[in-house]
Amino acid sequence: MPIMEFHAPYDSAFLPYEITAYMLFPKSPPERSAYLAKKMAEYTLKQSQEDSHLIPAEILQDLLENSTVSAPEITEHIVKQACVAAEIFLNLVKLHCSGEDASVNKAMFLGDSFFEHAQNKVMGKISSSESSIRRAWTAYTPAAHLWAAYIIINDTAEHDSDSYLRQLSIAKELVKIAPKVSSKNAKEPRFSSDELWTIPDFVELPECSFLCSGLNEAERGRLPDYEKRSVSKHEK
């Protein structure tokens, strides 16, 4: 799997920005760079306000406001697409861990209620059209495990200063599972060796406590409906 390249000397305080750049723009290096340039300027400005021996804050503020680098906006559409990809990725992993055939079509079928009804304070309703879902999956597959880990952590009751590092630890574990995911109709594993962004080994992460329990009872109960629908489509 490809390894993320950090643009700044490694600093745990700046780590979230480096990771977020890949989560938001997994296939666009120029947009990642523009996003990081803005965040680096903001971060340096904040540090200068706390340490008078650094570059004067007013100079950095002027550079930030008049920069020729146009940082991309983090839009609701981006978050929607990323969460759609995360849902499909999680369903693929659960299918695999349950010993089921793990196809994208089946993962999409299991996620249809999520696509139709999922919403939070930021996202609003997610488009449930098949074409929109497939476009989102294609666009955000390289970062789907990172968003999946984000969802897993946010669904837990425990939130503390170490939550972010646990999130990255889960993402790293999901990358290990991904190459094993396959469908009986596919000639190769679902994820290629250069498809998912991985976190550099020099980033120290806690031991991962994530264990995939597979499909729950309700999800297992829906699989016969998928098989019926597939047979029906084939007969037409």
Side-chain angles (χ1 to χ4, degrees):
M1 299 294 179
I3 300 174
M4 296 176 180
E5 295 183 6
F6 290 171
H7 289 66
Y10 178 64
D11 184 333
S12 58
F14 199 71
L15 176 64
Y17 299 121
E18 296 275 13
I19 301 294
T20 300
Y22 279 92
M23 292 177 69
L24 294 171
F25 312 107
K27 291 187 174 182
S28 178
E31 287 183 298
R32 282 201 301 271
S33 296
Y35 169 83
L36 282 171
K38 180 179 180 181
K39 291 302 178 183
M40 285 180 186
E42 292 173 345
Y43 178 72
T44 306
L45 173 60
K46 180 181 177 181
Q47 294 298 103
S48 71
Q49 292 169 338
E50 297 172 356
D51 187 345
S52 60
H53 295 291
L54 297 175
I55 301 172
E58 59 271 19
I59 294 178
L60 288 170
Q61 183 68 51
D62 182 66
L63 287 172
L64 180 60
E65 292 176 352
N66 296 288
S67 173
T68 57
V69 177
S70 179
E73 294 295 325
I74 303 174
T75 65
E76 181 181 331
H77 181 64
I78 287 176
V79 178
K80 285 180 180 180
Q81 286 190 309
C83 286
V84 164
E87 174 70 8
I88 294 173
F89 183 92
L90 283 173
N91 286 338
L92 285 170
V93 169
K94 287 191 287 185
L95 284 164
H96 166 73
C97 292
S98 297
E100 299 286 346
D101 182 56
S103 69
V104 171
N105 285 341
K106 191 179 293 185
M108 287 174 57
F109 174 80
L110 290 174
D112 60 3
S113 60
F114 173 88
F115 305 141
E116 291 174 2
H117 305 297
Q119 58 184 13
N120 59 31
K121 294 179 181 178
V122 178
M123 292 165 52
K125 184 170 286 189
I126 294 173
S127 173
S128 59
S129 71
E130 183 173 335
S131 59
S132 294
I133 292 168
R134 289 191 182 279
R135 282 197 300 271
W137 172 242
T138 299
Y140 283 87
T141 296
H145 58 301
L146 296 164
W147 284 97
Y150 168 81
I151 291 173
I152 290 170
I153 282 292
N154 277 273
D155 284 346
T156 63
E158 297 181 10
H159 290 279
D160 53 38
S161 58
D162 293 328
S163 294
Y164 185 71
L165 292 180
R166 290 202 303 274
Q167 174 186 325
L168 298 185
S169 182
I170 291 172
K172 204 163 187 175
E173 189 64 25
L174 290 173
V175 166
K176 295 178 183 178
I177 297 174
K180 303 173 186 176
V181 175
S182 63
S183 171
K184 63 184 179 183
N185 294 323
K187 296 180 180 180
E188 299 177 351
R190 176 59 196 82
F191 297 100
S192 64
S193 60
D194 61 350
E195 197 160 9
L196 303 178
W197 286 112
T198 58
I199 300 163
D201 288 336
F202 59 73
V203 178
E204 295 185 8
L205 298 175
E207 288 293 323
C208 182
S209 58
F210 172 74
L211 291 174
C212 180
S213 56
L215 301 171
N216 59 36
E217 187 175 342
E219 289 167 333
R220 284 183 178 278
R222 294 195 63 209
L223 290 182
D225 292 334
Y226 172 79
E227 301 300 336
K228 291 177 183 177
R229 190 181 72 167
S230 298
V231 170
S232 177
K233 283 186 175 182
H234 182 70
E235 290 177 345
K236 288 182 179 179

